[in-house]
Amino acid sequence: MLLSKFFRMTKYKSMLLLLLIPIASAIEISVSYLLQLITDTATGKGSLSYINLVFVVIIYIIVDALVYFASSYLEQTTLNDIISTIKNKLLSAMFRQSTGVGHDVKKVTILQQFYFHH
């Protein structure tokens, strides 16, 4: 309940992050398929040429890096936005509270007037 309240503070980023995390996980899991493809090509069981295999590996590395960067960046900015919002709410609530300083100043002023004018 409380966690969903925080994620509602950054609706769009949270939704994008919830979509991006499974994609990033699927890309990380697909490395085993890529290793199998490399092994099959190296042993001659695969039908992929070496040049095509190099392109597949390069594309995989680029996509993996981009998705990892995007998910890490989005995760950090989402957390920063949540922390900033919470901090602002806490400070606003703290500043709205009565400190009693104004009330004490009135008492001091009344006491000064009483002692110095009598």
Side-chain angles (χ1 to χ4, degrees), residues 2-11 13-14 17 75-89:
L2 189 59
L3 186 62
S4 65
K5 180 180 177 181
F6 292 141
F7 281 116
R8 272 188 257 133
M9 293 177 185
T10 57
K11 279 183 185 176
K13 282 187 176 182
S14 297
L17 190 59
E75 180 181 345
Q76 192 59 49
T77 57
T78 303
L79 291 174
N80 288 346
D81 289 348
I82 291 170
I83 290 170
S84 176
T85 303
I86 291 170
K87 189 187 314 180
N88 288 338
K89 285 184 178 186

Side-chain angles (χ1 to χ4, degrees), residues 44-56:
K45 293 180 184 176
S47 61
L48 219 58
S49 68
Y50 284 116
I51 193 77
N52 288 338
L53 179 65
V54 169
F55 285 132
V56 168

Side-chain angles (χ1 to χ4, degrees), residues 1 6 11 14-15 31 35 42 53 56-57 59-60 62-63 69 75 79 83 89 92 94 96 100 106 111-112 115 118:
M1 175 76 178
F6 292 141
K11 279 183 185 176
S14 297
M15 293 304 255
V31 74
L35 291 174
L53 179 65
V56 168
V57 170
I59 289 170
Y60 174 81
I62 291 171
V63 169
F69 172 78
E75 180 181 345
L79 291 174
I83 290 170
K89 285 184 178 186
S92 295
M94 214 167 69
R96 281 193 304 265
K106 288 179 185 177
L111 288 173
Q112 283 177 344
Y115 284 116
H118 282 79

Side-chain angles (χ1 to χ4, degrees), residues 20-34 59-68:
L20 198 56
I21 288 174
I23 292 172
S25 298
I27 289 173
E28 291 299 324
I29 292 170
S30 68
V31 74
S32 63
Y33 175 74
L34 184 64
I59 289 170
Y60 174 81
I61 290 171
I62 291 171
V63 169
D64 183 38
L66 289 175
V67 170
Y68 176 76

Side-chain angles (χ1 to χ4, degrees), residues 94-107:
M94 214 167 69
F95 289 142
R96 281 193 304 265
Q97 288 184 350
S98 175
T99 60
V101 172
H103 186 63
D104 292 340
V105 170
K106 288 179 185 177
K107 284 183 182 177

